[in-house]
Amino acid sequence: MDIELFNYNLPEELIAQEPSKKRDCCRLLLVNKDTKEYKDSYFYDIKNYFKKGDVLVRNNTKVIPARLFAVKETTNAHVEVLLLKDTGNDVWECLCGNAKAIKVGTRLHFKDDILIAECIEIKDEGIRMLKFFYKGIFLEELDKIGIMPLPPYIHKAVDDNNKYQTVYAKNSGSSAAPTAGFHFTNELLDELKEMGVEILDVTLSIGLGTFRPVKVNDTNDHHMHYEEYEISDYVASRLNLAKQEYRRIIAVGTTVVRTLEANMSKYNVFKAEKASTNIFITPGYEYKAIDCLITNFHLPKSTLIMLVSAFIGREFTLSLYNHAVEEKYMFFSFGDAMFIYGNK
């Protein structure tokens, strides 16, 4: 498909630069995918559109302070490094600025030599495999010098790293946050549980796919980056039971969508596993796993707006985005949200 089919005009002032003062006070566009009706609301009202037996699935990944600055050992040239994936044995797949200057054997020194890294393999598109050397525990050392890897359209740092985490973040390893989950408070989640909503967690470690724009004119030529996910035995069994009982499965964000759809596409049921996926969901894809979706407003021509378009139709998606622009919703990671639900 032509990438321009997923374009829309967004005034720069509608790109949120900071989170809501209170997580669940952001705006919410309520969208009935069956009737094509929609209305404006606030996120704290989302509970009124849940019912007993619904299953809310979250991505409990935790963002690490994955943005680092180093100097080359021989030249003192400055290098920016973004940790993407822990491949084991202290080796990380990294996105490096000025990557052409980083050859196999190049050593990088990070602040006060808290971390030192050596390039052991060159990959494409600025990717390098770096082996890290340190004293103590890696994530503890990383916390001392790393910076939260905010998307490039956010121009100021957060004053508290927890603002770029969900309240249920648990499993460290992501280079970006599952931002649709930002809007939930512990109080709201408790209210949903009291209503009889079942809450389940999966993990997808968000990596390069979030940062890589679509640079091709035809979506068929775009290749997604692999990301690791994990579904436990308990979660798989509960999701299968929900399917058998025709209860709604509600995904919090596109990372949960990719996890569940990738898993069910492989097995036709939910199955516990640790695996990787590069699933690319575009219009024409038949959804198998989820019934409803909570999501933020995504970048023009992004894989994420394609995923939403596959769920409710491209023209309807763009009409919702145009409505959000007209009503001055805030967009992207720290922006407002949509709840796309059905009559089931």
Side-chain angles (χ1 to χ4, degrees), residues 78-136:
H78 291 269
V79 178
E80 183 173 346
V81 173
L82 181 66
L83 303 178
L84 295 177
K85 180 181 176 183
D86 181 0
T87 64
N89 298 316
D90 294 319
V91 176
W92 283 76
E93 180 181 77
C94 300
L95 179 64
C96 298
N98 194 24
K100 291 181 180 179
I102 301 176
K103 313 293 185 184
V104 171
T106 298
R107 288 175 67 89
L108 302 175
H109 292 253
F110 299 82
K111 184 179 178 182
D112 298 328
D113 281 347
I114 288 174
L115 297 175
I116 298 173
E118 181 175 335
C119 177
I120 62 171
E121 183 182 348
I122 294 175
K123 291 195 169 184
D124 59 358
E125 299 186 68
I127 304 297
R128 299 291 184 268
M129 303 303 294
L130 301 182
K131 182 172 180 63
F132 282 85
F133 304 91
Y134 54 91
K135 297 177 181 178

Side-chain angles (χ1 to χ4, degrees), residues 91-315:
V91 176
W92 283 76
E93 180 181 77
C94 300
L95 179 64
C96 298
N98 194 24
K100 291 181 180 179
I102 301 176
K103 313 293 185 184
V104 171
T106 298
R107 288 175 67 89
L108 302 175
H109 292 253
F110 299 82
K111 184 179 178 182
D112 298 328
D113 281 347
I114 288 174
L115 297 175
I116 298 173
E118 181 175 335
C119 177
I120 62 171
E121 183 182 348
I122 294 175
K123 291 195 169 184
D124 59 358
E125 299 186 68
I127 304 297
R128 299 291 184 268
M129 303 303 294
L130 301 182
K131 182 172 180 63
F132 282 85
F133 304 91
Y134 54 91
K135 297 177 181 178
I137 298 171
F138 181 79
L139 289 178
E140 291 182 359
E141 301 305 300
L142 184 64
D143 278 337
K144 297 175 183 176
I145 60 174
I147 299 171
M148 277 299 187
L150 298 180
Y153 49 76
I154 295 177
H155 303 308
K156 65 180 195 178
V158 291
D159 55 11
D160 178 354
N161 282 351
N162 287 326
K163 291 182 179 179
Y164 195 62
Q165 305 277 18
T166 62
V167 297
Y168 47 81
K170 180 181 178 182
N171 295 329
S172 294
S174 278
S175 301
T179 56
F182 282 171
H183 313 295
F184 284 97
T185 62
N186 287 317
E187 294 77 12
L188 178 55
L189 291 167
D190 287 342
E191 287 186 72
L192 292 174
K193 290 177 187 175
E194 290 171 7
M195 291 169 54
V197 174
E198 186 172 9
I199 299 176
L200 301 174
D201 286 346
V202 298
T203 304
L204 182 136
S205 297
I206 307 169
L208 183 60
T210 294
F211 295 91
R212 174 183 284 168
V214 179
K215 296 180 179 179
V216 295
N217 294 323
D218 186 341
T219 59
N220 292 324
D221 297 328
H222 180 71
H223 300 287
M224 294 286 284
H225 194 76
Y226 279 94
E227 293 171 312
E228 305 291 324
Y229 71 85
E230 182 173 3
I231 299 174
S232 70
D233 283 313
Y234 175 76
V235 167
S237 65
R238 296 304 300 174
L239 289 171
N240 285 324
L241 181 61
K243 280 292 186 188
Q244 294 165 17
E245 295 176 347
Y246 299 99
R247 292 184 282 125
R248 297 191 304 179
I249 294 175
I250 301 167
V252 182
T254 58
T255 61
V256 172
V257 173
R258 296 207 305 278
T259 299
L260 299 187
E261 293 295 331
N263 185 254
M264 181 160 277
S265 292
K266 286 169 67 175
Y267 304 111
N268 292 318
V269 294
F270 294 108
K271 188 173 180 179
E273 69 172 349
K274 286 185 73 170
S276 61
T277 181
N278 68 338
I279 189 170
F280 183 17
I281 297 176
T282 60
Y285 175 84
E286 183 179 345
Y287 276 81
K288 307 167 187 66
I290 72 160
D291 302 295
C292 310
L293 172 61
I294 299 166
T295 186
N296 284 13
F297 294 94
H298 305 294
L299 278 74
K301 301 190 285 188
S302 65
T303 61
L304 303 182
I305 196 171
M306 295 175 204
L307 181 152
V308 176
S309 297
F311 193 49
I312 58 175
R314 184 187 67 85
E315 291 184 359

